[in-house]
Amino acid sequence: MNNLFVILLVALSFGLLIVGHEFGHFIVAKMNGVKVDEFAIGMGPLVCKFKGKETMYSLRLLPIGGYVKMLGEYDDSDNEISEEDKKRAYIFKHPLRKISIILAGPVMNFILAFIIFWGLNIFEGYNSTIIGEVVDGSPAQNAGLEVGDEITALNSKKFLNWSDFVFELQNVKNKETINIKVLRNNQEMEFNINPEINGNSIIIGIKPKFIENAGFFESISNGFKETISEIKQVIGSLVYLITGKASFKDLGGPVTIFKVSGQAAKAGFAELMNFTAFLSVNLGIFNLIPFPALDGGAVIVNSIELITRKRIKQEILAKINYVGFTLLILLMIFVTLKDIFFPIV
């Protein structure tokens, strides 16, 4: 595949994530009667713009995000906002309305991931939890698992789909013996498996049955399960990272994401879309972290306002967000340098 075409596909993928996230903020702001002054894709210097009925839509040079600039978002002075504009100013809206606007961005990322997974299920199919192949001489075969068995539980834990099963399998605490429950001819059976350990990977020697031409409603169900599964896995990975069960060496930044996106694009449009859905979930969860300059931080601020019924001064919030944004930029620089000098792909 032509490298220029790959770069274009990756750019469109990133653009889809940004547009989806910011559109969530935009549409819910409109629903709550807030005037949106600018809808921007990208950050930094202006590349081009056009004026809508009341909103300026702009494309900016740096492809590191975007923003929705709302009337009165950072101003609360009576001298700065007229009485007429106060009706449509973000700052004067009820905290619950502001929280709904803030949460709409991450929620739209989850909805976007669902739509992508749903489409992939319809046009490409999906991996079921039915065993499609048992490797000869593998731990699974030695334990008695057979093709056609439907896996229902791992160490008594339920899971959503094949991806969720693999994630749970790779993170079991006791790696000496694994208990798997299956349905065989509508009867539940239980097997204890002694897996092979290859580095940090647990191998039992089975592959899933691939379901082609999934139906409309089946695709909706599986799209929903895949979205929830990705959310669960991303949160689980963050917990492992924070608790030290995972290494910061495995943390990828912009360079790694671009490399992996390029590899996915070369593998085909479906692979790129699958990775885009994964990134969309990551973006949604990352923005929900309760940290200044992120959506999660803004939710905390408005929750405090809701409880105390007092608005925090905007100049204080501006300083807190500035510090938060600076720390995020430093983190981005750190992981970018790590990507360059200690790549994981």
Side-chain angles (χ1 to χ4, degrees):
M1 188 180 291
N2 185 281
N3 287 335
L4 182 60
F5 185 61
V6 169
I7 293 173
L8 179 61
L9 283 177
V10 172
L12 289 174
S13 170
F14 286 176
L16 182 62
L17 296 179
I18 297 169
V19 170
H21 183 91
E22 299 305 334
F23 180 75
H25 293 311
F26 174 81
I27 194 65
V28 178
K30 290 283 191 179
M31 290 169 62
N32 281 283
V34 175
K35 180 183 177 184
V36 178
D37 292 326
E38 183 180 359
F39 184 111
I41 303 303
M43 308 284 278
L46 183 68
V47 175
C48 62
K49 65 178 181 178
F50 73 91
K51 182 74 173 179
K53 186 177 179 181
E54 63 178 18
T55 303
M56 182 178 78
Y57 301 89
S58 65
L59 178 65
R60 295 184 175 271
L61 184 63
L62 304 177
I64 56 173
Y67 60 86
V68 169
K69 183 181 178 183
M70 294 174 283
L71 175 66
E73 190 172 359
Y74 300 107
D75 302 315
D76 60 357
S77 171
D78 289 341
N79 296 325
E80 294 170 329
I81 303 176
S82 67
E83 288 299 322
E84 183 64 27
D85 283 343
K86 281 183 180 181
K87 297 177 182 178
R88 301 195 63 196
Y90 170 84
I91 191 66
F92 294 113
K93 293 295 181 180
H94 189 277
L96 288 178
R97 289 185 178 272
K98 290 190 282 186
I99 289 172
S100 71
I101 295 169
I102 295 162
L103 291 178
V107 169
M108 188 58 73
N109 281 123
F110 301 144
I111 293 173
L112 176 61
F114 162 73
I115 292 172
I116 292 173
F117 284 135
W118 171 49
L120 289 174
N121 272 270
I122 289 178
F123 296 107
E124 296 290 328
Y126 66 95
N127 287 324
S128 70
T129 53
I130 298 171
I131 297 175
E133 180 183 343
V134 179
V135 178
D136 288 339
S138 66
Q141 186 184 58
N142 294 334
L145 288 177
E146 297 179 0
V147 171
D149 290 345
E150 182 178 0
I151 305 173
T152 59
L154 171 66
N155 289 346
S156 299
K157 291 180 67 176
K158 301 291 183 179
F159 48 87
L160 293 165
N161 55 13
W162 179 260
S163 176
D164 199 19
F165 166 73
V166 172
F167 181 78
E168 293 291 350
L169 177 64
Q170 298 306 318
N171 290 287
V172 294
K173 294 179 180 179
N174 182 9
K175 298 182 180 181
E176 295 180 359
T177 304
I178 295 171
N179 178 268
I180 288 181
K181 292 180 180 179
V182 304
L183 278 179
R184 181 184 296 173
N185 299 323
N186 293 321
Q187 291 186 339
E188 188 174 69
M189 304 181 69
E190 194 170 335
F191 299 89
N192 291 318
I193 302 173
N194 298 315
E196 296 176 3
I197 308 298
N198 184 4
N200 293 323
S201 298
I202 297 175
I203 300 172
I204 61 175
I206 59 173
K207 295 181 181 180
K209 179 181 178 181
F210 188 75
I211 305 296
E212 297 182 2
N213 303 319
F216 181 82
F217 292 106
E218 182 183 2
S219 297
I220 289 177
S221 174
N222 280 290
F224 180 75
K225 287 179 181 178
E226 288 188 58
T227 304
I228 298 300
S229 175
E230 288 290 352
I231 292 172
K232 176 183 173 182
Q233 291 176 45
V234 172
I235 293 175
S237 298
L238 280 174
V239 171
Y240 289 142
L241 194 64
I242 293 169
T243 57
K245 293 181 180 179
S247 172
F248 275 93
K249 293 179 181 179
D250 300 323
L251 182 65
V255 175
T256 295
I257 291 173
F258 187 80
K259 285 181 179 178
V260 175
S261 297
Q263 292 169 0
K266 289 179 180 178
F269 183 73
E271 285 296 324
L272 178 60
M273 285 296 95
N274 191 64
F275 188 66
T276 301
F278 166 76
L279 288 181
S280 191
V281 170
N282 273 265
L283 181 60
I285 291 175
F286 178 76
N287 269 282
L288 288 174
I289 295 174
F291 189 81
L294 294 177
D295 292 335
V299 168
I300 296 298
V301 168
N302 283 285
S303 296
I304 293 172
E305 179 182 333
L306 180 65
I307 295 169
T308 63
R309 298 184 180 181
K310 292 182 179 179
R311 217 168 39 238
I312 300 173
K313 290 185 177 180
Q314 291 303 102
E315 54 264 32
I316 296 175
L317 290 179
K319 291 177 182 179
I320 293 173
N321 284 333
Y322 178 78
V323 172
F325 185 74
T326 301
L327 291 175
L328 289 174
I329 292 297
L330 290 174
L331 175 63
M332 185 176 293
I333 293 172
F334 170 77
V335 294
T336 300
L337 292 174
K338 180 259 178 193
D339 281 351
I340 295 171
F341 295 105
F342 304 99
I344 58 177
V345 294

